[in-house]
């Protein structure tokens, strides 16, 4: 079987902006910030067939003429348009044209969903929904547990039933994992229907940073931030004051909630905010220019943000009904 083409989770034109003259950049492992290696742009942040949908994986009625590499080819078109738009921004002045807003907005929306970070979020939320559904009918879950234990010849006690349910539907139980064709389609539908509409209505801010406040990037380079929620590691799109993507060690593309297109200078505090957010949501690798040290002084939690169910309150109604209020959050 022929090897699948390799797809960059972050396009090479963007990675090159963080590389030196030899097209090399530093890769830092997200799970071990003390581990770093040097990589070429071509080898960094790529996966075999990450956006590939095989012909056998689609409906038989739509297989004729199907190109498994169609999405990768479409993304390359948006990458070229975004590359031109960024160069135009650097050589021009605001306000920028609707065409540039479209090119940069769509590119950022697609970049938001391109890597492992979002796919794993969908798996986490699906798993939580599955566990809630199964535990919502406690008698059914107990009946299944008892049947399983009896079939294995094990004792059926309240303790063994509780242990089975905790193992099956607790935090360490089985997880739902989407297959690649489904993950690709769900991710890019989310980009088109949810992310892009929020970005395309926002003004563009081109942020310039000094050499003593360098930026990094990662395999999840689009970060959300809000001054109203400074302690939240991840801010939902709907709550984000800014949606920001570093595009060079001294430049960031930011979509603000209000105001006008602008070019502005930003300081070390803003650089730390961006670097913290981008590094924190990295799935596997953080990247930076070999001559910079943007991780220096940052305290990034070793555990990546994850979706959790949290109980907010509980009460007993007058008729004796016990009720709980829960929320699903990313921490």
């Amino acid at each position: 079987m022929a090897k699948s083409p390799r797809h960059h989770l972050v396009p090479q034109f963007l990675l090159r902006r963080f590389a030196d003259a030899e097209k090399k950049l530093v890769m830092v492992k997200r799970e071990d910030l003390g581990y770093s290696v040097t990589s070429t742009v071509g080898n960094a942040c790529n996966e075999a067939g990450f956006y590939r949908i095989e012909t056998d994986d689609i409906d038989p009625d739509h297989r004729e003429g199907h190109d498994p590499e169609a999405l990768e080819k479409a993304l390359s078109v948006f990458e070229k348009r975004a590359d031109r738009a960024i160069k135009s921004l650097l050589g021009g002045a605001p306000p920028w044209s609707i065409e540039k807003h479209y090119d940069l907005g769509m590119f950022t929306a697609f970049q938001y969903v391109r890597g492992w970070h979002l796919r794993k979020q969908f798996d986490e939320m699906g798993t939580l929904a599955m566990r809630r559904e199964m535990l919502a009918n406690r008698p059914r879950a107990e009946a299944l547990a008892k049947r399983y234990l009896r079939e294995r010849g094990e004792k059926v006690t309240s303790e063994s039933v509780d242990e089975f349910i905790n193992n099956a539907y607790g935090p360490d139980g089985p997880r739902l994992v989407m297959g690649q064709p489904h993950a690709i389609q769900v991710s890019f539908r989310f980009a088109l229907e949810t992310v892009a509409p929020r970005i395309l209505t926002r003004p563009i801010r081109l942020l310039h940073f000094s050499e003593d406040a360098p930026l990094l990037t990662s395999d999840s380079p689009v970060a959300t931030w809000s001054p109203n929620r400074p302690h939240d590691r991840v801010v939902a799109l709907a709550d984000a004051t800014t949606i920001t993507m570093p595009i060079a060690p001294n430049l960031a593309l930011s979509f603000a909630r209000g105001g006008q297109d602008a070019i502005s200078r930003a300081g070390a505090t803003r650089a730390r905010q961006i670097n913290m957010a981008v590094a924190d949501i990295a799935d596997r690798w953080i990247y930076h220019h070999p001559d910079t040290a943007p991780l220096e002084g940052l305290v990034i939690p070793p555990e990546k943000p994850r979706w959790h169910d949290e109980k907010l309150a509980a009460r007993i109604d007058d008729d004796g009904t016990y009720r709980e209020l829960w929320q699903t959050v990313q921490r």
Side-chain angles (χ1 to χ4, degrees):
M1 179 182 292
K3 291 183 178 179
S4 295
R6 301 196 71 83
H7 299 158
H8 277 80
L9 278 60
V10 178
Q12 294 187 69
F13 90 84
L14 203 56
L15 292 172
R16 277 195 290 269
R17 294 179 174 275
F18 291 87
D20 60 17
E22 297 180 347
K23 297 183 180 180
K24 292 183 179 180
L25 67 173
V26 175
M27 296 172 53
V28 181
K29 202 169 187 177
R30 172 60 180 90
E31 295 181 347
D32 180 5
L33 299 179
Y35 178 88
S36 65
V37 294
T38 301
S39 172
T40 63
V41 168
N43 289 331
C45 205
N46 67 60
E47 302 257 350
F50 195 75
Y51 309 115
R52 185 178 176 87
I53 300 179
E54 300 294 347
T55 302
D56 290 344
D57 289 328
I58 64 175
D59 189 286
D61 293 340
H62 298 89
R63 290 178 182 176
E64 185 176 352
H66 172 69
D67 180 0
E69 293 292 310
L71 181 56
E72 173 68 7
K73 292 175 182 178
L75 288 173
S76 69
V77 174
F78 283 95
E79 292 169 10
K80 291 175 183 176
R81 293 172 66 100
D83 191 15
R84 289 196 298 268
I86 290 173
K87 291 174 181 176
S88 179
L89 259 62
L90 295 176
W96 290 293
S97 67
I98 293 177
E99 181 181 9
K100 290 185 179 61
H101 273 262
Y102 176 80
D103 291 342
L104 293 171
M106 292 302 295
F107 173 72
T108 304
F110 287 146
Q111 193 59 61
Y112 186 84
V113 308
R114 282 181 67 163
W116 282 107
H117 178 64
L118 189 71
R119 289 193 188 183
K120 290 182 177 180
Q121 286 190 67
F122 284 138
D123 290 342
E124 289 172 4
M125 289 186 286
T127 298
L128 290 174
M130 173 194 71
R131 291 171 179 165
R132 285 196 299 268
E133 180 69 20
M134 296 302 294
L135 293 174
N137 190 338
R138 179 76 183 196
R140 179 175 180 272
E142 291 178 352
L144 291 171
K146 291 175 181 177
R147 186 175 71 181
Y148 174 83
L149 293 169
R150 288 193 189 100
E151 290 175 351
R152 291 174 61 90
E154 299 180 16
K155 287 185 178 181
V156 178
T157 64
S158 59
E159 291 79 11
S160 64
V161 169
D162 286 342
E163 182 180 3
F164 175 88
I165 291 175
N166 289 333
N167 289 338
Y169 307 122
D172 298 323
R175 300 180 301 112
L176 289 180
V177 178
M178 284 192 292
Q180 176 157 307
H182 191 195
I184 292 170
Q185 294 175 72
V186 169
S187 297
F188 284 90
R189 181 175 181 176
F190 183 71
L192 289 168
E193 295 183 355
T194 302
V195 186
R198 294 187 181 280
I199 291 179
L200 291 172
T201 57
R202 292 174 173 236
I204 293 174
R205 304 286 170 78
L206 186 62
L207 306 179
H208 286 259
F209 294 84
S210 61
E211 291 185 0
D212 59 354
L215 299 179
L216 51 75
T217 189
S218 77
D219 51 21
S220 302
V222 182
T224 53
W225 178 81
S226 173
N228 298 323
R229 309 185 67 151
H231 303 298
D232 284 2
R233 299 174 64 187
V234 178
V235 179
L237 280 168
D239 299 326
T241 301
T242 61
I243 301 169
T244 304
M245 177 169 57
I247 57 174
N250 65 329
L251 292 168
L253 185 66
S254 189
F255 297 85
R257 176 171 285 173
Q260 305 295 321
D261 289 353
I263 298 175
S264 61
R265 294 281 176 183
T269 298
R270 188 73 180 103
R272 282 195 297 272
Q273 291 167 348
I274 295 171
N275 288 340
M276 277 289 298
V278 173
D280 194 26
I281 63 174
D283 182 69
R284 299 181 182 180
W285 297 101
I286 300 162
Y287 302 92
H288 64 80
H289 191 284
D291 296 335
T292 66
L295 284 167
E296 188 174 320
L298 295 185
V299 180
I300 301 169
E303 291 292 328
K304 290 176 280 190
R306 291 287 182 262
W307 285 96
H308 305 276
D309 282 341
E310 291 183 354
K311 185 166 71 173
L312 299 178
R315 74 168 192 238
I316 299 177
D317 292 345
D318 293 339
D319 63 359
T321 302
Y322 176 75
R323 300 183 185 276
E324 294 179 344
L325 177 64
W326 290 71
Q327 69 174 356
T328 301
V329 294
Q330 195 177 26
R331 302 277 190 217

